[in-house]
Structures are given as structure tokens and as C-alpha cells.
Amino acid sequence: MRMMAALLLFLILAQSTACAQNANTDIAGQLPGWWKHQANYGPAVAGSLTLDGRYSQWRAAIAGFDVAVSRKADAVQFVLPAKQGEFSGRLRPDGSAIEGFWMQPPGVTLGSGYATPVTLRSVSDKVWVGEVRPLPDRVTFYLNITRGGDGALAGFIRNPEFNFGLRRPFRIEVSDDHVSFINATRAGDVLRGRFDAGSGRLSMVFQGLGTFDFSRRDIESTPGIAPGPASPSLPRWVPPPIGDGWATAAPEDVGMRADVLQNLDDHVRRQLPVAVTTPYLHAILIARKGRLVFEEYFHGYDRDQVHDTRSASKTLTSILLGIAQQRHGGFDVDTPVLRLFDQYADLQHLDARKQRMTVGNLLTMTSGLACDDNDDGSPGNEDVMQSQSTQADWHRYALDLEMKRDPGGRQVVYCSAGINLLGGIVARRSGMPMYEFFQRYLAGPLQIDRYHMNLMPGGQGYAGGGIYLRPRDALKLGQLYLAGGRWNGKRIVDAAWVDASTRKHAQFDDAHGYGYAWHLYEVSVGERSYRYYAAGGNGGQFIIVVPELELVVMIAAGNYGDFKTWYPLQNLVATHVIPAIAETENQRRSSEN
């Protein structure tokens, strides 16, 4: 009997084990493929904004709120309860509109507040209406799961907004309905999840963010997964004129070969996301001889979508500084920085070297401050500055840093906090917030009507990088400098400032120079060498100007934090863009001979 009982128990256990193995196999068989999750966190306040001035107490209405408006001369302002948003603007003298900015607070995925331009137009006597379109606070994850030849499951995550999946290739294990995502490169990094066979949903727990539910997707119906479908047959490129100041043309009209540009488009679209480090291009735009000839978007992006320019907007700060010097004066590149921040008379780490630090030193990242973004232990490191809570005034924080070395010299030490001080100079010399200065003297003249400028804790514009721009608008910054400071014939920046900004004042190394927040390079294509200058930002944001070829290129990408992947993206100019011109020029010279 005991033997029979033992045999029966063995058969039961064996059957249970087989059922469990079959269940695991069934679940594992349903996991391979693409999955998507998108979480939208707001902001809650957006949409139509009405300002009613018909009575002694003006009122503002938006998203269910109805609040009082304060007025002083032509200035109008209101703040929503719990600081869920605020508006500050000015009434035009003729009463036709109120021009101002919507300030959205920090969110779940957005670490700072943002200023967005808003125009309220008169719809009747003393009533103005406009649209508030704040920066979306959302996160998107694409999860890819594959089965190897040995039957093992593996996967990776792609995140277009912040590249959260960086360096997280997974080994995937299944036990009953539990799914473990084990980082193959970092011990102890495990994400837990479950698969619900009934709903077909796969959940994953992200520490600090909660549980995300993924649904199955396919490449064809989900634009964000792959670069995009193959392009139609030539001829194909004449970007549409949309009233934003860009003249457009076919490539041949400006001496470029459309078939070579077709190769560029095909090259990008062939790069399917087979690994976590696959280039994650979002846009490529090309202008030559002042006309936009190539405008392509990938991975679900389009021309109306703003893009995080990261440190490429350090160059924008340099442009604004040049305009401020031209319009308001009172300083030049040789002016000692502390003289322009005399409100900080009680700095702690004040010495003779800091007294000698100039505006030019900040522009060329040779300030000597203990500020190195490439050193996680540096007190002036951008992440250290932004994550500390002791000093909310980041201008004071930067000026209070110790001096690490003498100011000046030729060696660049990357310092975002120093560039941010330049924004403080712009605001102080002009007497207006940096976002207002940007709107009045650069965005307005360049016909840029949509952007989001990130803010410091005190509400001032942050000048160290991170403004959101549409790619067509970012490209204008390069065209502005190619044209010597003019946009469509109108002078915006002094020509002398443009020339000085794009000359070498310091260097990262022998092949990588630095001007006034412009990166300087030379590139060889065939037997020719071309000088170019560029604005560059984390993830693959480039505004590239090749003066000799009258060429401007804008590249936007999402490989944030992955320097080895994003930095080489600028090589597309040498491998695919310049050849479209070089071959045309070679053909022209051959025909002339």
C-alpha cells in the first residue's frame, strides 16, 4: 500500500509539474513581440482661456477655474489655486490682444516648470480668448520581447521622451503568471510583472512610478516603434510652406541630388530597433541657400511636435546674450561677471580669481569654477545643482562655487551652471524675464510661435539647456547665423557677434573647438575638408552649419544619456548630406571643363 501511495503521489506531483511547465510554456509563447504603455499625467490645466475685463474686477476662466485677475497699467496676471498654473501678460495699446506666458508647474515626468507663449485675442469689447497648450507630462514605453535559438526570452525597453530604457537589456523568466525582467548587465536590477492571459495584458512594476500595463502592438500600426514606412518613389521632397518664414524648394533647385537624399531617408528607415542602443532618430531637416529642401520625421514624430533640445539651447543663450549686448549694452566679453551680479555682495567663496572671471570665460566654458558636468562629484555639476534643495537661486549657487583653477586658458570644462549665469545677465541687463526677452527679440522675429522654456525654482528661465522647440524652428537658429545674423533679410543679431561666436576661443581637443557656445569642427568628404559649427545636445540634438556649402542641418534624436550612440549622429552630414551637394558640384565642374 505504501508503495502504491508513493507511486500515486509521484504521479500526481509529476502531473502538477508538467501542468506548471506547460502553463509557463504557454505564457512564454505569448510574450514575444512588441508591447506599449503610455501614461499621461497632465497637466490638468489646458485649453481655452478667457479673460473678461468688462467689470471692475477682471476674471479669468480656464479648465473649470474662475479666478480674479490683478492689473497694473497694461500688465495682467493671475494664479490658479494650489499654483496649478499662472498667467502673466500685457495688453496691447489698441486693446486687440493680450500677449503673455502660461507657467505650468513641475509634473510627474517634468522636473521643472515651463513658460509657454500665449496670445489672447479680442472677441468682443474687453473680452479676450486664447489657447493654452502646455508641455505634455507623459511617458511612453515600448517593450520588445524575443525568443532566442535556445528558447530563452530576452527583451529591452525604448522610451522616446527620456530614454529610460538605456543600458537595460533583459533576460526574462516566467513562473506561473509572474514575469521577471532581469537586467543582463547590472546585478540586482530586476523588474517584476504579471501576464493576464484573459485580457492579454502584461504588467510591469517600476519603482517610484507604479505599475504599468502593456498591451500588444505591431510595427505597422504603432508609429513610435520603428523609424517609419519606406518613402514613396521620387520625386518626393518639397516641404510644405506653412507660413513660418521658411521658403521651400526641391533639392535640385538648390544644387542637391534628391536620389542621394533618398539614400539618407532609406538609411534611417532601415535601422529597425533591434537593440536598446539602436539610433533613435526623430527628425532630420536640411536647408540650403536659405530654403528648406528636406524634412523627414521618424518614430512617430511630426513637424508640430516640440522637441527637447537639451544643451543645444546653450547656443540659444549665446545668441540672446549677443542681442542683449547690442540692445542694452553695459557689458562685453571682457566684463568681470561679478560686476553684473552686484546683488550678490555676500558670496562665500570670493577670491581674486573669481574677481577676474569674465563673461567670455562663461561663454567658452573656461570660467575656472568648480563646475564640471562630466564629473559626478563636482559641486557645480548640473545634476548636483538641480537636485540639491539648500539653494533655490541657481545663479547664487553657481557664483558661490569655489574656484578650481584660474579663469581663461584654452581647455573647455563643460559647465551648464556657467552658461545659465549668462541668462541671468540677459535678464538683468534687459530688465525682463529671459523668456520674455526671447519672445520679443528672437522668437517673434524668427516667427517661432510655439516653445516651452524650462524654469528654475524661482520662476526665472533656465539658460543652461532644455528649451522645447519644433525642429523647423530650431533649424532657423542655424540659418540665422549662416546669414550673418539676418532672418529673411531682417537684422536680428549683430554680424560682429556672429563672427566672434563662430571663431575658436577654446577647445575640447585638437579636433573639437569651441566658440561662444558653438562647437567647431572640420569634416572630410572625399578629397575636400569643410569647416562647420554646431549646437549640440544630449540625445542627439544638432543644429549644424556648413558655411562654405550654404548648408544648415537639424537632427533630433532620443538617445539621451547614451553618448556613444548619439554623438556620431552628426556624421550623417558627412556620409549622406554633403555628398548630395558634392556630387552635384563635381558634375558641374566636369561639365564646365
Side-chain angles (χ1 to χ4, degrees):
M1 288 293 292
R2 288 182 179 178
M3 290 184 62
M4 289 294 293
L7 179 59
L8 182 60
L9 178 61
F10 172 80
L11 292 174
I12 293 173
L13 291 174
Q15 185 176 12
S16 299
T17 301
C19 291
Q21 290 176 342
N22 289 337
N24 288 351
T25 301
D26 290 344
I27 291 176
Q30 297 179 62
L31 293 180
W34 281 97
W35 303 78
K36 178 184 178 181
H37 170 84
Q38 186 172 74
N40 292 291
Y41 301 105
V45 179
S48 179
L49 167 60
T50 300
L51 201 151
D52 190 340
R54 292 175 296 169
Y55 308 100
S56 58
Q57 176 60 72
W58 288 23
R59 307 291 298 180
I62 182 172
F65 290 98
D66 189 313
V67 297
V69 175
S70 62
R71 290 186 298 145
K72 186 176 181 179
D74 63 344
V76 295
Q77 185 179 17
F78 67 85
V79 180
L80 297 183
K83 295 185 177 180
Q84 296 181 67
E86 60 183 277
F87 176 82
S88 178
R90 292 188 180 278
L91 178 65
R92 286 181 184 172
D94 63 1
S96 63
I98 298 173
E99 296 175 326
F101 295 87
W102 178 257
M103 316 299 186
Q104 72 181 91
V108 175
T109 67
L110 303 176
S112 67
Y114 287 85
T116 300
V118 176
T119 299
L120 310 178
R121 302 192 182 280
S122 176
V123 294
S124 63
D125 186 37
K126 293 187 178 181
V127 177
W128 300 267
V129 176
E131 190 77 10
V132 172
R133 298 179 64 184
L135 183 63
D137 184 10
R138 68 183 174 214
V139 65
T140 309
F141 290 107
Y142 299 103
L143 169 64
N144 180 241
I145 299 177
T146 58
R147 185 189 294 276
D150 59 355
L153 295 176
F156 61 89
I157 284 176
R158 303 205 80 175
N159 163 239
E161 296 95 351
F162 311 103
N163 203 22
F164 281 151
L166 175 63
R167 289 184 289 274
R168 257 190 168 173
F170 297 121
R171 183 180 80 255
I172 299 173
E173 296 181 355
V174 177
S175 177
D176 296 330
D177 62 348
H178 294 273
V179 184
S180 297
F181 302 85
I182 303 166
N183 190 335
T185 62
R186 189 183 308 154
D189 182 13
V190 181
L191 299 177
R192 308 292 182 183
R194 301 186 71 174
F195 177 72
D196 186 333
S199 64
R201 293 197 176 271
L202 176 64
S203 67
M204 189 182 298
V205 179
F206 285 78
Q207 187 173 2
L209 293 176
T211 300
F212 290 171
D213 292 327
F214 288 78
S215 59
R216 185 179 294 282
R217 300 301 173 96
D218 60 78
I219 290 180
E220 290 75 16
S221 62
T222 310
I225 293 176
S231 302
S233 301
L234 292 171
R236 62 153 333 332
W237 290 294
V238 179
I242 58 174
D244 64 346
W246 273 114
T248 67
E252 293 87 349
D253 295 337
V254 295
M256 300 187 76
R257 288 183 53 177
D259 60 332
V260 179
L261 295 181
Q262 177 72 59
N263 292 337
L264 167 62
D265 191 66
D266 292 342
H267 169 75
V268 175
R269 296 182 190 278
R270 282 196 301 266
Q271 297 186 66
L272 294 178
V274 297
V276 70
T277 55
T278 302
Y280 209 177
L281 279 156
H282 294 165
I284 301 177
L285 288 78
I286 301 171
R288 189 165 193 237
K289 298 184 178 181
R291 290 186 283 178
L292 181 64
V293 299
F294 183 96
E295 180 189 17
E296 290 297 309
Y297 300 90
F298 313 98
H299 291 101
Y301 280 74
D302 58 46
R303 72 170 52 91
D304 195 47
Q305 197 161 349
V306 293
H307 201 279
D308 186 355
T309 61
R310 296 293 178 98
S311 285
S313 56
K314 285 181 169 64
T315 306
L316 171 64
T317 300
S318 171
I319 298 172
L320 294 177
L321 189 74
I323 297 173
Q325 180 189 12
Q326 170 187 337
R327 289 187 169 273
H328 300 285
F331 73 94
D332 59 29
V333 293
D334 296 320
T335 301
V337 173
L338 295 183
R339 190 180 300 170
L340 300 171
F341 288 96
D342 56 4
Q343 71 270 39
Y344 301 120
D346 56 343
L347 296 175
Q348 296 178 12
H349 301 108
L350 190 60
D351 60 23
R353 292 184 298 178
K354 189 174 289 186
Q355 296 280 8
R356 296 197 305 269
M357 182 177 65
T358 67
V359 172
N361 296 148
L362 296 179
L363 275 167
T364 58
M365 295 197 189
T366 58
S367 67
L369 290 168
C371 175
D372 185 350
D373 289 355
N374 294 316
D375 178 2
D376 293 340
S378 172
N381 178 290
E382 184 179 35
D383 291 337
V384 172
M385 178 181 72
Q386 295 186 359
S387 61
Q388 58 83 33
S389 57
T390 303
Q391 180 52 263
D393 184 343
W394 292 351
H395 293 149
R396 176 182 285 277
Y397 183 93
L399 291 170
D400 240 342
L401 292 168
E402 294 183 358
M403 295 298 288
K404 184 81 171 179
R405 60 190 67 81
D406 288 337
R410 303 287 287 178
Q411 183 60 51
V412 171
V413 179
Y414 204 88
C415 175
S416 297
I419 295 292
N420 184 48
L421 285 172
L422 300 173
I425 295 173
V426 170
R428 189 159 173 80
R429 295 305 307 168
S430 66
M432 63 182 72
M434 197 179 77
Y435 47 80
E436 185 176 334
F437 186 89
F438 171 58
Q439 173 62 37
R440 183 175 302 184
Y441 295 118
L442 190 57
L446 290 183
Q447 298 167 264
I448 299 173
D449 57 13
R450 274 199 63 208
Y451 59 86
H452 308 278
M453 179 175 287
N454 44 329
L455 305 174
M456 293 184 283
Q460 308 97 327
Y462 180 64
I467 189 172
Y468 280 73
L469 294 170
R470 287 179 293 192
R472 281 177 74 127
D473 292 332
L475 187 72
K476 294 174 182 177
L477 302 180
Q479 182 61 41
L480 174 68
Y481 266 50
L482 178 63
R486 294 181 180 273
W487 171 250
N488 286 336
K490 181 181 179 181
R491 171 67 61 193
I492 308 296
V493 188
D494 187 74
W497 182 262
V498 173
D499 178 65
S501 297
T502 55
R503 284 191 277 114
K504 183 176 179 180
H505 299 281
Q507 64 183 35
F508 290 85
D509 54 47
D510 291 342
H512 182 180
Y514 202 57
Y516 293 163
W518 285 95
H519 298 265
L520 313 177
Y521 305 91
E522 282 195 6
V523 61
S524 295
V525 179
E527 298 179 354
R528 296 291 306 278
S529 181
Y530 301 94
R531 172 184 175 270
Y532 74 90
Y533 52 90
N538 190 352
Q541 329 314 320
F542 294 103
I543 304 168
I544 296 171
V545 182
V546 189
E548 183 180 348
L549 297 175
E550 300 178 83
L551 176 70
V552 185
V553 180
M554 197 278 162
I555 298 171
N559 292 93
Y560 302 110
D562 188 4
F563 182 84
K564 292 182 179 179
T565 300
W566 70 256
Y567 191 73
L569 290 177
Q570 60 187 314
N571 295 337
L572 290 172
V573 175
T575 59
H576 289 81
V577 180
I578 291 179
I581 300 171
E583 292 188 21
T584 300
E585 294 297 313
N586 289 337
Q587 289 179 341
R588 180 184 59 79
R589 285 193 292 267
S590 297
S591 65
E592 290 175 351
N593 293 333

